[in-house]
Amino acid sequence: MDAVVENGEVPGFYHVKYQIKGNPLLSIIIPNKDHIDILDQCIQSLLHHNNYQNFEIIIVDDGSSDETVSIIQSFHDPRIRLVSQVNGGVSRARNAGMKKAVGAYIAFMDGDDYWYPEHLELAADFFNRHPEILAYANRYMRDELEAIPPRPPSYPESIRRLGIRGVLFMNSSNVILNSSLASRLPPWEETMPYGEDGLYWTRCMRGTGLIGLGGSVTSIYRQRASSAMHDEHYQHVSLHSLIAPLLNELEAMKNPKWQFAVHYLVIRELHPKRLLSLNVEERISLTGRIRKIMHPCLNRPFLDSYMKACSARAGMEQSFSALMDRTMSVSYTHLTLPTNSLV
């Protein structure tokens, strides 16, 4: 076994990569807060129902108030490492876990989600066949229940440009990154209460232009009432906190072709209910900044038409739908370049 120490470009991120040819060590990062009802199932599935066993599990407890720490400590497996921190949010927990990771690859998983037995196995096999690809994501299903539903048929895996399709394919429980890529990226944005995953996936484009997309559903992405993605929580998040980091990333992007995925993430937050929560001055200021950095191919008149509809409080939904359709259409046209189907 060879150990290679890498000093990441982002301060504080250091990775010791233990690489066994054909059997790389994978570091599984699991942020946890008060998931006592389902975390045990999550750990059990990794330890006993997983086809791939060369991994470490780094569970970062984000200030749980229940007995989840005791649950974690009850597993006497040297591959499990517990990191405890004062409640600081899921992004801070993921950053803390990544600093402890020593694997050649980093796999993200939320404590209330589920992986099928072949999730890591398929990823490791893909990276062994395509070591030049630094990011990978398998298909997933959304579910609000704790049951394990039947899976749909599989499709051929592929390699795509990491544009809007790649970003929309990714979530916080199905992505696996080469640690060399992760060490070059900015950390997870700790100030974002929602949407931090979309921002992190777009930042992956700073270090790679391609992603491997698995053809089989190998994970369940649960959206429970306590989830940050749930409407009950999302509706109270300010528009500025959602969009400002994305606009900063958009302005920093050097390759215009990669901007379309970020455009989509920005535009989708401008739905009427949220946009009208701003006063007129705030609305004009925000949309003015968006318009200034919007790619010409997105046809700024669609945004202008939507703004006029919001001002008149008439035809807003139709105008917003037209803006979203235009954004999606242009994004797919520019970023869905030939797919390499793999055998």
Side-chain angles (χ1 to χ4, degrees):
M1 181 186 297
D2 296 324
V4 181
V5 179
E6 290 194 346
N7 184 351
E9 293 180 9
V10 180
F13 277 77
Y14 298 86
H15 296 278
V16 183
K17 303 197 306 177
Y18 290 97
Q19 175 75 50
I20 304 175
K21 187 175 182 181
N23 190 31
L25 177 68
L26 276 64
S27 296
I28 305 169
I29 311 298
I30 304 178
N32 169 77
K33 187 178 188 302
D34 298 331
H35 284 155
I36 191 172
D37 57 333
I38 201 168
L39 183 62
D40 179 74
Q41 178 191 11
C42 171
I43 298 175
Q44 292 280 6
S45 69
L46 291 175
L47 295 180
H48 306 300
H49 305 287
N50 190 352
N51 294 348
Y52 190 88
Q53 289 293 311
N54 191 29
F55 59 78
E56 63 170 355
I57 303 173
I58 303 174
I59 303 174
V60 184
D61 186 73
D62 188 36
S64 291
S65 58
D66 58 17
E67 299 300 318
T68 50
V69 171
S70 297
I71 292 292
I72 297 169
Q73 293 174 336
S74 69
F75 289 92
H76 302 291
D77 191 305
R79 293 173 297 178
I80 298 177
R81 300 161 64 191
L82 172 63
V83 178
S84 296
Q85 67 175 29
V86 176
N87 179 236
V90 66
S91 290
R92 183 175 297 176
R94 291 190 184 113
N95 288 333
M98 290 172 71
K99 290 178 182 179
K100 301 291 185 180
V102 298
Y105 295 93
I106 294 179
F108 297 103
M109 184 182 194
D110 288 342
D112 56 348
D113 291 339
Y114 178 83
W115 285 351
Y116 288 90
E118 67 273 25
H119 180 78
L120 294 179
E121 181 183 35
L122 291 175
D125 176 67
F126 176 87
F127 284 123
N128 282 329
R129 288 182 286 114
H130 302 280
E132 75 284 1
I133 304 300
L134 305 180
Y136 177 83
N138 252 325
R139 293 174 63 204
Y140 66 94
M141 293 187 296
R142 293 182 184 271
D143 195 274
E144 294 188 2
L145 304 176
E146 296 183 13
I148 309 301
R151 288 182 281 181
S154 297
Y155 294 91
E157 64 183 15
S158 62
I159 295 176
R160 291 186 180 274
R161 293 188 183 278
L162 185 53
I164 187 169
R165 280 195 173 180
V167 169
L168 293 180
F169 206 91
M170 305 163 84
N171 68 51
S172 54
S173 282
N174 79 330
V175 174
I176 301 178
L177 302 179
N178 188 302
S179 62
S180 67
L181 170 63
S183 68
R184 299 196 303 270
L185 301 178
W188 287 76
E189 189 62 55
E190 298 180 4
T191 61
M192 290 185 73
Y194 168 88
E196 77 290 336
D197 51 348
L199 176 63
Y200 190 78
W201 309 141
T202 61
R203 284 176 170 174
C204 287
M205 289 186 280
R206 296 187 183 194
T208 183
L210 299 173
I211 183 173
L213 301 180
S216 301
V217 170
T218 63
S219 64
I220 298 175
Y221 186 54
R222 293 193 173 105
Q223 289 186 288
R224 305 191 298 167
S226 60
S227 170
M229 287 287 292
H230 202 276
D231 289 343
E232 181 181 342
H233 300 274
Y234 168 63
Q235 65 185 356
H236 298 298
V237 179
S238 73
L239 184 58
H240 176 77
S241 66
L242 290 171
I243 290 184
L246 291 168
L247 293 179
N248 293 338
E249 185 67 20
L250 192 60
E251 290 175 327
M253 279 192 166
K254 297 179 181 179
N255 188 339
K257 286 188 176 181
W258 302 135
Q259 294 178 356
F260 294 103
V262 190
H263 277 304
Y264 169 80
L265 296 177
V266 170
I267 296 299
R268 73 174 182 176
E269 302 297 347
L270 297 180
H271 55 81
K273 183 177 180 180
R274 187 171 287 282
L275 191 61
L276 291 178
S277 68
L278 304 178
N279 62 43
V280 175
E281 291 77 14
E282 291 173 329
R283 195 159 66 236
I284 292 175
S285 175
L286 178 62
T287 55
R289 184 185 176 193
I290 294 173
R291 191 181 188 281
K292 184 182 298 184
I293 59 179
M294 179 177 284
H295 196 286
C297 287
L298 282 175
N299 199 348
R300 293 189 182 102
F302 281 82
L303 178 62
D304 294 341
S305 176
Y306 176 50
M307 290 307 301
K308 290 179 181 178
C310 287
S311 296
R313 305 293 178 100
M316 294 181 292
E317 292 291 346
Q318 298 90 326
S319 184
F320 179 66
S321 294
L323 176 61
M324 283 296 297
D325 289 344
R326 175 63 178 177
T327 304
M328 291 292 290
S329 174
V330 174
S331 298
Y332 279 126
T333 299
H334 282 76
L335 287 176
T336 312
L337 300 179
T339 298
N340 297 324
S341 293
L342 309 175
V343 179

